[in-house]
Amino acid sequence: MEETKGALLQELIDTVSEISSISDYKCTVRKEYCNLARRLKLLIPMFEEIRDSKEPIPEESLKSLISLKEALQSAKELLRFGSEGSKIFMVLEREQVVSKFHKVTACLEQALSGISFEKLDISDEVKEQVELVLAQFRRAKGRADATDVELYEDLVSLYNKSTDAATDPAVLRRLADKLQLMQIDDLTQESLALHEMVTASGADPGESIEKMSMLLKKIKDFVQTENPDITASTRGKSLPSSCSGQISTDGNHQSPVIPDDFRCPISLELMKDPVIVSTGQTYERACIEKWLDAGHGTCPKTQQTLSTLALTPNYVLRSLIAQWCEANGIEPPKRPSSSRPSKTASSCSPAELTNIEILLHKLRSVSPEDQRTAAGEIRLLAKRNADNRVAIAEAGAIPLLVNLLGTPDSRTQEHAVTALLNLSICEDNKSSIINSGAVPGIVYVLKRGSMEARENAAATLFSLSVVDENKVTIGASGAIPPLVTLLSEGTQRGKKDAATALFNLCIYQGNKGKAVRAGVVPTLMRLLTEPGGGMVDEALAILAILASHPEGKATIGALEAVPVLVEVIGNGSPRNRENAAAVLVHLCAGDQHHLAQAQELGVMGSLVDLAQNGTDRGKRKAAQLLERMGRFIEQQQQQQHALVQAEAQAPAQAQAQAQAQAQAQAQAQAHSHTHTPAETQHTQLSTLMNAIDG
């Protein structure tokens, strides 16, 4: 009972402490939410005195404290939404927000009222303080601050307009000012808040949240157009997550329209450090890191579950953005040196740290059972949150887990490699894992482990290869052949893990030849055509990288890839059409056989459509192919014209040749009748001598 009492009171203290750490409430609810948080903080002395008291808690008061624990959890969620939620939502759905606030305060007041303070061993000062809090809750019940009617009406007016309808700039200016959405940072936070609401809705946000997103875009476009100086100064000082794309030489010039592919789907800003998540979507690094740090495990745009939280730099897109900026007279966005602190500190409690030490002691044990249990628990702890990942690594778990990669116990091996995968999500841990010599052990698991262990080994290699220098280390370790094997024979999840790892590794030029020699191209071609098509996206993405390598180009061409590529260009998804065109561009470079084959298969119509309606990269690849096709067709026509001319000229040439031969014969005959007597005599003598010799 004493242990239950202590745990309950400590939980109440921890919850209120978490509430106290929440700050920066949105302007639309700031006053009410600050008051609530302040009142709850005053309850901590009561909880501490009850916890330290030797007296038992009366049953009724204990039940009320349990109810209070649930009410505090609801209050924490409410206040967190007040700090991180959407300002636009809080205004438009004011009644819903107020109703929830009153419901939470009513639950808190009811739970506090059930505690018999006179029967508890607490001081008079604390008792008076809690009674004051209770009185404030009772007075606040059913009361709400006055609504800003003009703000609400402006938002409703804009919310109900069609997307193409003109909007009064004065309304947009008032909204941006009252909602405090005048800086890019604020607009980015609002965009993130709306994305989180989409996630909470189970990827089915409904019309209201979509319209709120459109409303935010209108405000954002207005702010960027109306206040270029503010945007520019913000970008230069405090904006790690965006670049507004303003012309740097003259703030009065109108900004060029930023291509959608260059904007982060979260912040809607020009990306300066674009990275790819496991679903293939690209985001600004700072924005997606903030999303992941908030505990989300899904892709914000597609709502698909992320198979890994690793981020891969999108070098191609970064280069295209720089070229676009240069072409439009815009200062290219500078990539931040690091969007995260160089060293992350853990904030685990002493009890949690003690538990980690106990698990590490078991890892060092000679008992296989202890090792298996400890590795399994560390695997789960490392998956749970960032603090655990930091604390586990700081405690020295990584070398111990690396040692277990070669264990004959398949379950322990699986736990160990998966724990390393989860730990590698933390950027600081990646170098620690590499420096502990983990790569050979991970490759061993990739070759010899259970299917789940092999899948997680592949995912670990992908996570580690996010760091460019690790691509070289992993490629040199012999990891590529077993990855190709897993891509060929693994489960669907295993194939995807292998594909993402291979894609990342082959960004480094030195690994492309290794992958081709390991037989990845035939496997990729088979995945392109197998029923179900579950790996088409991944296969084409890897082929697009390998086609730029001489060995890759030769192998792809030898496997009769052109018909498959032409089919995808005609009927594939936008991204797959783009990648298929990219492969075909490389195959057709200096190879008229592939050009002729693609032309015969009717690729021209599909390329014209791709050049008009494809992604930006797809349009460029289609234009390149159309230009080469045009030159090829022109050469064919010139050759055909020359052949026709040659055929037309052949009879005349033959007649002229015959006439020349007849003339030569006539001349020879005429010449034979004009011999001198000496010549005639010499000829006769020669004939006679020949006859005698014969």
Side-chain angles (χ1 to χ4, degrees), residues 193-205 209 291 296 298 303:
L194 287 173
H195 271 292
E196 290 187 17
M197 292 179 69
V198 172
T199 301
S201 67
D204 184 19
I209 297 178
W291 172 265
H296 301 294
T298 57
Q303 298 307 310

Side-chain angles (χ1 to χ4, degrees), residues 590-611:
D591 192 320
Q592 292 198 341
H593 169 70
H594 290 134
L595 274 171
Q597 189 180 11
Q599 183 196 358
E600 290 170 6
L601 292 167
V603 77
M604 292 292 286
S606 299
L607 288 176
V608 171
D609 178 69
L610 182 60

Side-chain angles (χ1 to χ4, degrees), residues 7 14 50 94 186 212 240 319 387 414 450 480 484 503 519 599:
D14 291 343
I50 298 174
R94 172 71 178 172
D186 300 323
M212 287 181 201
S319 174
D387 285 334
E414 180 189 311
S450 66
I480 290 176
V484 172
F503 175 85
Q599 183 196 358

Side-chain angles (χ1 to χ4, degrees), residues 264-557:
C264 172
I266 296 175
S267 69
L268 304 180
E269 289 299 312
L270 184 68
M271 288 184 275
K272 62 173 66 174
D273 189 10
V275 294
I276 306 167
V277 298
S278 63
T279 60
Q281 299 295 327
T282 296
Y283 298 93
E284 173 61 39
R285 182 186 291 276
C287 292
I288 192 64
E289 282 180 346
K290 187 164 187 176
W291 172 265
L292 297 174
D293 287 345
H296 301 294
T298 57
C299 172
K301 190 171 182 179
T302 66
Q303 298 307 310
Q304 293 175 287
T305 300
L306 297 172
S307 60
T308 171
L309 301 186
L311 306 175
T312 305
N314 193 333
Y315 297 111
V316 175
L317 183 59
R318 191 190 304 165
S319 174
L320 293 174
I321 290 172
Q323 292 172 25
W324 178 84
C325 289
E326 201 170 319
N328 286 277
I330 300 172
E331 184 181 354
K334 293 179 181 178
R335 183 187 177 204
S337 57
S338 176
S339 57
R340 293 187 174 191
S342 60
K343 188 68 179 174
T344 309
S346 168
S347 58
C348 288
S349 68
E352 289 170 325
L353 294 174
T354 301
N355 182 45
I356 291 171
E357 287 295 340
I358 292 171
L359 292 174
L360 263 59
H361 179 72
K362 287 185 177 181
L363 284 183
R364 297 185 187 97
S365 167
V366 294
S367 164
E369 184 64 36
D370 282 351
Q371 290 178 341
R372 187 186 313 118
T373 303
E377 289 189 41
I378 288 174
R379 167 185 179 173
L380 295 176
L381 283 175
K383 182 180 180 180
R384 194 165 298 160
N385 58 53
D387 285 334
N388 285 351
R389 290 189 275 275
V390 174
I392 290 167
E394 287 179 346
I398 289 174
L400 299 175
L401 292 167
V402 170
N403 289 338
L404 292 178
L405 294 174
T407 180
D409 188 306
S410 62
R411 192 65 178 154
T412 302
Q413 185 185 67
E414 180 189 311
H415 288 326
V417 76
T418 310
L420 288 171
L421 167 62
N422 295 335
L423 289 171
S424 72
I425 295 169
C426 173
E427 291 299 314
D428 293 332
N429 289 345
K430 293 184 195 299
S431 59
S432 300
I433 293 170
I434 291 288
N435 294 336
S436 296
V439 173
I442 296 170
V443 173
Y444 176 81
V445 176
L446 184 62
K447 293 177 179 177
R448 307 280 181 85
S450 66
M451 182 53 71
E452 185 175 350
R454 291 170 67 194
E455 292 167 355
N456 290 338
T460 307
L461 292 176
F462 168 74
S463 177
L464 295 174
S465 67
V466 169
V467 180
D468 288 341
E469 53 264 34
N470 292 349
K471 293 178 174 67
V472 182
T473 304
I474 295 169
S477 70
I480 290 176
L483 282 171
V484 172
T485 302
L486 182 61
L487 180 67
S488 176
E489 65 184 33
T491 63
Q492 189 68 8
R493 182 193 155 201
K495 290 177 180 178
K496 287 190 178 291
D497 287 331
T500 52
L502 285 166
F503 175 85
N504 221 25
L505 290 171
C506 289
I507 292 172
Y508 170 59
Q509 185 73 8
N511 287 334
K512 293 178 183 178
K514 291 185 176 79
V516 174
R517 291 188 289 275
V520 73
V521 175
T523 299
L524 294 172
M525 292 304 302
R526 177 171 53 79
L527 293 174
L528 274 181
T529 56
E530 70 179 6
M535 291 294 294
V536 173
D537 297 3
E538 292 83 355
L540 276 170
I542 299 172
L543 285 171
I545 292 178
L546 296 178
S548 65
H549 190 276
E551 291 181 62
K553 174 183 172 180
T555 308
I556 295 168

